[in-house]
Amino acid sequence: MTDLASSWANAGAVLTVHRWVTVIGSLLLACMVVLMLCLQFGATSVGVETVATAIAHMVRGIEADSTSLGTSEIIMVQIRFPRVLMGFLVGASLAAVGVTLQALLRNPLADPYVLGVSSGSALGVSVGILFGIGSTLMLLPMLPLFGFGGGLLALLLIYRLAQSKGRLPIHSLLLAGVILNAILTAFIMFITSIMEPNRSAGLMAWLMGSLTAPNYPALGIFLLYVVFVLVILMHKAQSLNMLTLGEETARSLGVETEGIKKQLFALTALLTGAIVSVSGMIGFVGMVVPHAVRLVIGSDHRLLLPASALVGGMFLAVADTIARTIMAPAEIPVGIVTALTGGPFFLYLLLWRKDRML
Amino acid sequence: MQSWLPVGGPAIEVEGLSFRYGTTEGRERMWTLDHLSFYVDAGEILGVVGPNGSGKSSLLKVLSSFLPAGEGEVRLGGLSLGKRSQADIARLVAVVPQEYTQVFPFTVAETVLMGRFPHRTARWWSIGIGDETVNDLDCAHQSMIDTDVLPLADRLVSDLSGGERQRVMIARALAQEPKILLLDEPTVFLDLQHQIEICSIVRRLKEERGLTVVLVSHDLNLASQYCDRILLLKAGALFRLGTPHEVIGVDTLRAVYGCDVLIDRHPESGVPRVTMPSYVSTTNVRDHM
């Protein structure tokens, strides 16, 4: 019998602990290398030693004041480190949301940005900002909840459309997303138009998708949301596998689909709300990354979900480093970088790889 | 008898079952299934036939508990569907759907292994890595041998032909180690050779594993040849239930389908064989309606 087990494992049909640890372990290693590189580059580039000293200082809990640290260390600790970490977390979350939406809608091109879920969250957050939520530290953790509300409404609407005939063809789903996006954007524009000009300028800059200068409390709150949602999503990974087979088949395999679906809606909307509240609208990461990862390691969500999250994190950290450095000392919104890399890839899949996903 | 059954009891009991889609107040819809009562013995192949829209597929969906029974009751092994959890039902009943579109790149082996999902023992801290036991692999392996898909193990399901895909679906259903197999039009898009292949697999499974099979089909000849008994539905109600000889007759079929057919005997097995007449007079059809 062990012969049989090993032959299945060798054929790659079974997700063994060994395979999982190997893939995730090497990705974690790659993440560390990539993040170290991202920390070095910026308006002023620093060496590995500076990065190391800064990290060492932080680990030892020493306050970053000018008496014990040089200028570059202060830049590291106060600006670049939180920013790179935020980029990583946002990218990881976007990829995880993408994977979940794709399984839920049975569509490998689903993406929170393209389908209008991000717009829903953005509208929610805009409403929150309009009423002054997020202006104080006490209220800051509330902002993602506004994003959650808006995102959930958009998600339920898209799901109703997708569910009408079991599974909506990708073109119809995209069309629905385009229209939903247009409507939601109109509402957001309305909100910015009734704000005072200086506040609306800030809102517009945030909407374009940027990771500028997050502070540690914001980072901490976001980290809590991310860990909470990702841990639960990992527990649902096997159910995600079943859901990709269609709801009827999933139920006949013993999945309580109604309950699972509700939980997945809530989780994706919650995470999208958190993402949008910290980084605005960053597109295509949720589609490009899972798609590429799936091509390499297959569709088993137990592996696909964490692997996509790690690759998504690296992808956005690198994209943000490009956004910070390409026109230094000026910065461009990272949303532009992801749209310019992800958008063409999306078009390529849509136009030339039709057969694989329709 | 098998251990999941009360001694001598039938595998499936359907009692006064009614079902309709959408229960919007005021506008009462027609019953899709209308007070059905029947039973299926353990180890029996029951064919469900009837015209388009007579409720064949809906009946299958109620039996697999995908659709809830509106009125009446469905009992599996003596216990009502409503009293069983979804996982519990999945350990008893496996479904082979009519059409199957695989959107994501899963391999055949991965797909068949998913049939083991209802047998997993979930622990709250587990995220399911390496959950496949030797027994799971053994069972999936045997299912793939029984349906002759082992050589396809590392192919993507989306790349297979219709006949191959249908066998993979049966393999996944077998991996569930079910007592009851529900098949929805298992041969509908298949050519002659693959039709024979699927039918003989089903027949063999009944004999080797003692499976109880409910098979929905449009093909009266297939039902006549491979089923022990046939359930003929008309507008959601049971019109006739019995052996192929009892159900497939000129008068019965005229009453249900509204057209005349020719019926003779199968040259080998002697079961009734239905043939379309060479010329169908439409006035004739209207007379009988």
Side-chain angles (χ1 to χ4, degrees):
Chain A
M1 277 307 88
T2 43
D3 289 348
L4 180 64
S6 62
S7 77
W8 275 71
N10 290 337
V14 189
L15 180 57
T16 53
V17 177
H18 179 256
R19 177 159 177 245
W20 194 86
V21 169
T22 312
V23 174
I24 299 301
S26 23
L27 279 174
L28 277 174
L29 218 63
C31 284
M32 279 191 229
V33 174
V34 167
L35 291 186
M36 282 302 274
L37 286 172
C38 289
L39 284 170
Q40 291 178 38
F41 293 107
T44 51
S45 292
V46 297
V48 172
E49 320 84 56
T50 322
V51 176
T53 343
I55 293 176
H57 272 282
M58 277 194 299
V59 170
R60 273 185 263 129
I62 294 169
E63 278 300 308
D65 59 308
S66 43
T67 49
S68 65
L69 287 172
T71 329
S72 21
E73 275 93 352
I74 293 176
I75 293 177
M76 282 314 301
V77 173
Q78 292 193 336
I79 297 167
R80 208 172 285 169
F81 195 79
R83 175 155 182 176
V84 168
L85 208 58
M86 185 63 109
F88 181 79
L89 287 177
V90 167
S93 316
L94 280 170
V97 168
V99 168
T100 312
L101 277 182
Q102 286 156 16
L104 206 52
L105 298 170
R106 295 190 68 204
N107 220 313
L109 286 187
D111 175 81
Y113 177 80
V114 175
L115 294 181
V117 182
S118 299
S119 296
S121 293
L123 180 58
V125 174
S126 302
V127 170
I129 290 175
L130 183 67
F131 292 116
I133 310 284
S135 49
T136 66
L137 192 58
M138 283 301 286
L139 291 170
L140 197 61
M142 297 289 292
L143 212 46
L145 296 181
F146 278 80
F148 166 64
L152 192 60
L153 286 178
L155 188 52
L156 290 176
L157 202 62
I158 276 286
Y159 186 75
R160 279 297 293 274
L161 289 165
Q163 203 51 23
S164 57
K165 271 209 158 85
R167 176 176 170 265
L168 206 61
I170 182 71
H171 289 104
S172 318
L173 193 66
L174 292 181
L175 195 61
V178 166
I179 292 167
L180 190 59
N181 258 322
I183 296 171
L184 292 169
T185 310
F187 278 114
I188 297 171
M189 291 301 157
F190 172 72
I191 289 178
T192 54
S193 70
I194 59 171
M195 277 182 173
E196 311 102 79
N198 59 335
R199 283 178 72 199
S200 72
L203 194 66
M204 290 301 284
W206 158 77
L207 274 178
M208 276 195 281
S210 72
L211 294 159
T212 31
N215 49 20
Y216 278 102
L219 191 64
I221 292 161
F222 184 59
L223 183 66
L224 286 180
Y225 274 98
V226 174
V227 169
F228 173 74
V229 174
L230 286 190
V231 165
I232 303 182
L233 278 184
M234 266 313 289
H235 266 92
K236 309 286 173 211
Q238 298 217 60
S239 303
L240 284 175
N241 281 344
M242 305 295 148
L243 281 176
T244 64
L245 306 175
E247 206 167 316
E248 199 179 334
T249 306
R251 280 200 56 160
S252 77
L253 288 170
V255 180
E256 307 272 0
T257 47
E258 288 308 310
I260 294 278
K261 263 164 41 193
K262 280 180 194 141
Q263 294 170 16
L264 290 176
F265 279 136
L267 289 168
T268 38
L270 189 61
L271 195 51
T272 311
I275 296 167
V276 169
S277 72
V278 295
S279 65
M281 311 260 281
I282 296 175
F284 299 106
V285 180
M287 188 274 305
V288 172
V289 171
H291 209 99
V293 175
R294 208 181 271 119
L295 285 178
V296 180
I297 61 162
S299 307
D300 194 324
H301 285 76
R302 289 172 291 178
L303 187 57
L304 178 65
L305 188 67
S308 295
L310 292 176
V311 174
M314 284 191 271
F315 178 77
L316 198 63
V318 171
D320 188 47
T321 306
I322 295 171
R324 283 187 287 126
T325 52
I326 196 163
M327 294 183 68
E331 286 186 4
I332 58 172
V334 67
I336 293 177
V337 179
T338 61
L340 288 182
T341 48
F345 182 67
F346 189 95
L347 278 180
Y348 159 75
L349 291 174
L350 205 58
L351 293 174
W352 285 282
R353 300 293 299 276
K354 274 181 196 156
D355 50 314
R356 306 246 0 167
M357 66 207 57
L358 291 184
Chain B
M1 230 35 232
Q2 288 151 317
S3 58
W4 64 286
L5 287 171
V7 178
I12 306 173
E13 289 167 275
V14 175
E15 208 176 281
L17 172 68
S18 295
F19 170 82
R20 63 182 158 201
Y21 289 95
T23 47
T24 37
E25 307 267 324
R27 223 169 24 140
E28 292 284 272
R29 292 207 190 191
M30 293 267 290
W31 289 106
T32 306
L33 298 174
D34 197 358
H35 294 91
L36 286 176
S37 293
F38 63 93
Y39 65 90
V40 189
D41 270 326
E44 181 183 34
I45 301 185
L46 179 78
V48 179
V49 297
N52 290 331
S54 58
K56 303 188 294 289
S57 292
S58 302
L59 174 59
L60 216 59
K61 284 178 182 162
V62 175
L63 291 184
S64 68
S65 96
F66 182 66
L67 296 175
E71 288 171 17
E73 201 180 25
V74 176
R75 285 189 294 273
L76 301 180
L79 189 60
S80 169
L81 267 187
K83 293 205 179 91
R84 293 180 182 273
S85 73
Q86 200 63 47
D88 190 17
I89 295 170
R91 285 187 288 265
L92 279 183
V93 184
V95 184
V96 178
Q98 183 182 116
E99 257 186 295
Y100 181 76
T101 42
Q102 177 59 278
V103 200
F104 293 87
F106 281 109
T107 64
V108 169
E110 282 175 321
T111 307
V112 175
L113 261 179
M114 284 188 200
R116 297 302 299 165
F117 183 70
H119 295 275
R120 299 267 161 80
T121 41
R123 288 147 301 186
W124 64 269
W125 45 264
S126 161
I127 50 173
I129 318 296
D131 266 9
E132 287 86 356
T133 62
V134 173
N135 184 35
D136 285 343
L137 300 182
D138 194 25
C139 189
H141 196 83
Q142 189 57 45
S143 311
M144 289 170 77
I145 291 173
D146 283 353
T147 50
D148 196 24
V149 292
L150 201 56
L152 307 173
D154 50 6
R155 298 264 300 275
L156 294 182
V157 176
S158 46
D159 294 343
L160 300 180
S161 74
E164 290 169 332
R165 198 173 309 160
Q166 194 67 343
R167 280 185 284 141
V168 172
M169 290 307 108
I170 297 178
R172 189 190 63 205
L174 289 182
Q176 280 174 257
E177 290 185 296
K179 309 297 180 203
I180 299 164
L181 187 62
L182 306 179
L183 297 143
D184 194 358
E185 302 270 14
T187 59
V188 71
F189 298 119
L190 304 183
D191 63 32
L192 205 54
Q193 183 209 341
H194 290 108
Q195 286 186 24
I196 296 172
E197 211 170 74
I198 298 290
C199 289
S200 47
I201 287 175
V202 171
R203 195 80 211 178
R204 187 157 45 83
L205 291 173
K206 169 212 149 126
E207 273 147 26
E208 286 173 6
R209 299 191 178 205
L211 272 181
T212 307
V213 180
V214 177
L215 181 156
V216 163
S217 182
H218 259 303
D219 190 338
L220 291 170
N221 287 324
L222 182 145
S224 171
Q225 207 180 334
Y226 289 97
C227 297
D228 300 312
R229 285 193 305 156
I230 294 177
L231 170 67
L232 180 60
L233 288 177
K234 185 189 182 188
L238 191 155
F239 192 81
R240 190 145 299 175
L241 173 64
T243 62
H245 286 286
E246 289 163 0
V247 173
I248 296 183
V250 177
D251 295 336
T252 314
L253 294 185
R254 188 192 297 130
V256 172
Y257 289 90
C259 58
D260 283 311
V261 292
L262 305 173
I263 294 181
D264 59 355
R265 301 258 165 249
H266 187 278
E268 258 176 19
S269 57
V271 295
R273 182 172 65 174
V274 181
T275 321
M276 278 192 280
S278 50
Y279 172 68
V280 182
S281 152
T282 43
T283 50
N284 240 358
V285 172
R286 223 167 282 141
D287 284 348
H288 295 303
M289 290 281 269

